[in-house]
Every structure is written in C-alpha cells, then in structure tokens.
Amino acid sequence: MTKPKLSKTAEKKPVEDKKCLEPTEAPPPPDAEQEPGASSAEAAPSGEEGAPAEDETPAKGVTLTESGPPAEEAAAPAVQTPVEPAAAAEPDPQPVCTPTSEPLGLCVDNVSDTSITLKWRRPERIGSADLEGYGIEYCKEGTDEWIPAMEGLTERTSTVIKGLTTGDKLQFRVRAYNMAGPSAPATLAQPVTIREIMQRPKIWLPRNLRQTLIKKVGDIMNIVIPFQGKPRPKVTWSKDGEPLDPTLASVRNSEVDTIFFIRKTERKHSGKYELQVQIENVEDKAAVTLQVVDLPGPPEALKIVDTWGFNVALEWKPPKDNGNCEITGYTIQKADKKTMEWYTVHDQYRRTHCVVSDLIMGNEYVFRVFSINLVGLSPEPYCTKDSVYIQKTGIIYKPPNYKDHDFTEAPKFTRPLVDRSVIAGYNATLSCAVRGIPKPKVTWYKNKMDISNEAKYRMISKQGVLTLEIRKPCPFDGGVYTCKAVNDSGEDTVECKLEVRRK
C-alpha cells in the first residue's frame, strides 16, 4: 500500500517567526495534474508515482506507513480518525519590510585638495523599520566600480570624505539603510574634480571696529576678525606701516578668522593696525585704530589775576599731558588757610579762567585746579603759589537818587451821562464816572446854570462815580444837565437831556 498524497492546503507549515522578511521568490505553482477541488483525504494511486514529496507532511488524523505489506496484514491495525476536507484558508498577513526611499538633496558643501564635504536630507519615506544609517560610495570617472568612502554607516546627514587624490574626477552617491537593506541611491548630477576652489579673499570687519577703538591703560584687548578665502590665505598684521612686533601683541590665525590679543594695554599700543589677507596676487586689507587713554596731567601756570571785594579771578593753561584724549573740563577748589579744607567751586568747567565769588572778608584763601578727561581727574592738582587776603573795608550807605514820577492827570470822564425820561413825582438820578490826579472838582449845571447850592438836588461822589439825585421832579425840572470836572491839569465835561412826564 502506498502513502497517500496530501493536498497543498494541508502542506502549509506553521509560521515560526513574524519578523520582517526580505522579499523572496514566489512559490512554484501547484501541480497541474491535480484536479481542482480534490479532497484532502482522497488516497493517491498505487505505485511509485503516488509517493509523497519529501517536504510534504501528513494531514491531521492520517497515519502514513512505510511501503510494505498491506495494512490488514499488520499486527495491530492503526486506528484512523475520519478527516474532514480542509477549507482553503487565506494565508496569515505577515509584515514585510521595504527599503526606504532615496536620500534627498545630495549636494557638495565644500571641496579641497584631498577632501570633499557632502550633505543631504532624510528620505521622505522611512517605512516600518528604523533607519540604520547612510552609506557613501564613490566611483572614478570612466569606471563602473563603486568604492565605499567610509567604513560602516553614518547617522548624520553630512560627512567629510578625506584622503582623496588631487585631480581625480569622482562621482558620489548616498544610500539609506534599514533592516530591508539599502535604498535607491541618491547620486550627484555630475562628477566632482578634487581640487581647491579659488575663493577671493575678503575681510569681514565687525561694525564696532570701523571706528576708533578706545581702551584704558591696563585693559585687555581681544578682537576677532573673520575673513574668507580659498586656498587658506596668508594673514599679515602691521602697525603704523611697520611689521607687527611679536612682543607688542599676540596674533592667532585660523582658516576663517584672526585673533588679535593684548593682555595689558599701554600707551605705546596706540596706533593704526592694518590686517592684510592675501592669496597669490589677490589681497584684501582692513585697518583698526586703537587709542589707549590714561589720566591727564595737572594744569599749568595757575595764578591769581585780580582781586576785588569778595571775588578773585584765576587763570591757568591746559596740561602738557592730556592722557591721549581730549580734556573735557576742570575742577576748581578753594581752601581757607586756617583750616585747609578744600571745597569745590566749579566742576566740569571748560574754560581756562574763572572767578571765585562769595569769599569771606578777613580770611586768606588758596586755590587749586584738576584736569578732567574721559578717564577721570588728574592724579595731582596744580595749586596757587600765593594766597589772597580778603580785606575788610568800611561800608558807607549812599541812598539811591530817584527822579520823582509825575502822576498828575487831567480829568477824563470814563462813563458819560445818558439821556433819560422819568415820571413826575418820583426821584430820578443821573450818573457818570471820571478820573484824574489830583482829584478834580466837580460842578453840576442845569441849562448852563449852577445847581450846586439848590436844595432840590443832591450830589454824590464815590470812587470816581458821580451821581446827581433829583427829588420828586416836575415837568419844570426837565432840560439839559451838565457835569464839569476841573483840576490843575485841565477839565472835562459831559451832558445829557432829562425829560419829565406827567403820570
């Protein structure tokens, strides 16, 4: 009895590991002679053609024996379990890792005689597996052999490949790696010749160094001036047109900048420093002006020029040593010779002469002057060689002589009389206002007749306001009333009409 042949669905092996697998070739197609829909429990025909394949495994419940006597001749017949036909099940989904997409933006960042700097960006698609790194290869022009540019992989997106031969024309490519293997390569658009690219020398002088650099004596000076140029330029410093003395300052140069350093500045360091960057016959220059300042010396030739009353006039000359910067002013002080306590009279005084006032009679004074510049006061002042004594003098009072002012003024009416119409039997008043110095004499008239002594009328004068009161006027009291003001300077008159109506 021969071994039964199992269907393909029963031959499927269990999946041992669900890790990401590399793509493999497709499995061979099933046997064409097998009829579709054949039961998995159907026995194979007898003979050698029915022998199962070496990699086939029996289905569940089927017992396979070696070829030999029939099963009924065996000592103990095998217990067989009925086998149901296996349904065609779909294969279990397995995660399959794929390589990443190619790196992006591969370009050349720098080239020298023996090295090249490449940079790129991460791939757009990484996949389910993590990115392990990048591999860089190069190929000489005219060959098809790609040579690894470095051992292993790099995780950075830029690299410097060194040890190249000057003059070679090389093509470069970069591939990203993950568990599935390398990605498609990112290749430069054209080969690169390994040689230094000429770059014109250029000094980038910082803005704060374009004007005079002022330092105090004892300060540290440390300036950095960047520049560019390829191949590496020759850097030269000079001071006031002469080569820079190494004992005067320290200079340290790199490929991209130069450092000028003075540990402790002195007055002798002041001057114009010139930087020259040169590549063959091409050069660039820049200048830095350094001014080291110090405290000034004292003024010169201080003397007392004049004395009067409580005042003393002083005069002096500017100092010989201004501290290598402009003198901004002077401080003037005074002291009584009895106490020798100094008091500041003027501070930040810009002239070279001044007047000291408010001195006390009977005291003797001395004076001194300091110079001032950007750093501060001069260490020592210049003092007057002589002192000045403020004399006590007698005081005679002379009263001032003033010219008397003429206050006289002719009379002038500031408010005239106003025509009125009144009712008979009721008191009526006429009023006006006048001014004048001395006080003018006032006279009232009716129809040019003086009425000053008439009992019917009462005349009032208060603060220049003149009032004429008419007691119970009758139609006969109507007419023209006149007021006249007279003093020594002149006279003035006003008049009005009064109408008296019956009830």
Side-chain angles (χ1 to χ4, degrees), residues 32-348:
E33 296 179 358
Q34 183 177 355
E35 294 181 4
S39 173
S40 58
E42 188 176 324
S46 59
E48 295 181 356
E49 296 178 359
E54 295 179 0
D55 57 346
E56 291 178 347
T57 56
K60 184 177 179 181
V62 179
T63 304
L64 302 179
T65 58
E66 296 292 337
S67 59
E72 57 270 10
E73 297 178 5
V79 180
Q80 296 185 357
T81 334
V83 179
E84 296 179 3
E90 296 182 358
D92 295 337
Q94 298 180 4
V96 178
C97 291
T98 58
T100 69
S101 60
E102 69 274 6
L104 303 176
L106 177 62
C107 63
V108 178
D109 191 31
N110 192 15
V111 180
S112 68
D113 289 341
T114 58
S115 67
I116 185 171
T117 302
L118 301 175
K119 63 179 182 179
W120 59 91
R121 300 193 305 274
R122 287 171 58 89
E124 287 185 358
R125 179 177 54 80
I126 301 298
S128 59
D130 293 336
L131 184 65
E132 296 180 356
Y134 303 94
I136 300 96
E137 299 174 316
Y138 67 88
C139 174
K140 291 185 179 181
E141 189 179 34
T143 66
D144 295 333
E145 180 184 3
W146 289 94
I147 302 172
M150 57 189 299
E151 294 183 3
L153 303 178
T154 178
E155 296 181 356
R156 303 178 62 182
T157 57
S158 65
T159 186
V160 180
I161 302 173
K162 300 181 180 180
L164 302 177
T165 305
T166 303
D168 283 355
K169 199 169 185 179
L170 305 178
Q171 177 63 277
F172 292 86
R173 70 181 185 184
V174 178
R175 293 191 293 181
Y177 284 78
N178 66 359
M179 188 179 294
S183 68
T187 310
L188 290 177
Q190 55 187 3
V192 181
T193 302
I194 306 302
R195 60 180 175 83
E196 191 75 46
I197 299 175
M198 176 66 178
Q199 185 180 30
R200 188 179 184 87
K202 175 67 176 178
I203 299 174
W204 303 103
L205 189 65
R207 186 181 298 274
N208 64 312
L209 300 180
R210 297 177 188 177
Q211 55 189 0
T212 301
L213 188 62
I214 299 177
K215 294 287 184 180
K216 296 180 182 179
V217 171
D219 287 351
I220 296 175
M221 180 179 176
N222 186 9
I223 60 175
V224 180
I225 302 178
F227 57 81
Q228 69 179 22
K230 290 184 181 180
R232 181 171 180 171
K234 178 183 178 183
V235 181
T236 307
W237 281 91
S238 61
K239 180 180 182 293
D240 298 329
E242 299 293 332
L244 181 64
D245 186 357
T247 61
L248 196 66
S250 300
V251 176
R252 186 174 63 188
N253 301 323
S254 68
E255 296 182 359
V256 294
D257 57 27
T258 177
I259 300 175
F260 185 88
F261 180 78
I262 300 176
R263 187 175 300 276
K264 189 175 181 181
T265 55
E266 300 178 7
R267 294 276 290 273
K268 64 181 181 180
H269 291 130
S270 300
K272 184 177 181 181
Y273 294 86
E274 190 174 56
L275 170 63
Q276 179 180 351
V277 177
Q278 184 176 5
I279 301 176
E280 297 180 355
N281 296 328
V282 184
E283 65 180 21
D284 191 19
K285 294 182 178 180
V288 177
T289 302
L290 174 62
Q291 181 179 353
V292 182
V293 297
D294 198 2
L295 293 172
E300 299 289 329
L302 174 63
K303 59 182 179 180
I304 299 171
V305 180
D306 193 11
T307 304
W308 71 98
F310 310 102
N311 308 302
V312 173
L314 302 177
E315 189 177 85
W316 62 91
K317 293 181 180 179
K320 291 182 179 179
D321 182 13
N322 62 0
N324 201 25
C325 61
E326 180 186 2
I327 298 295
T328 58
Y330 301 92
T331 296
I332 300 95
Q333 295 180 340
K334 67 178 180 179
D336 190 343
K337 286 197 71 175
K338 295 178 182 179
T339 61
M340 288 306 295
E341 294 182 0
W342 293 98
Y343 297 93
T344 299
V345 180
H346 299 288
D347 193 18
Q348 294 290 344

Side-chain angles (χ1 to χ4, degrees), residues 9 24 88 92 151 193 213 271 292 318 372 396 439 467 475 484 488:
T9 55
T24 57
D92 295 337
E151 294 183 3
T193 302
L213 188 62
V292 182
I372 306 175
I396 301 175
K439 185 178 179 180
T467 304
K484 182 178 181 181
D488 295 339

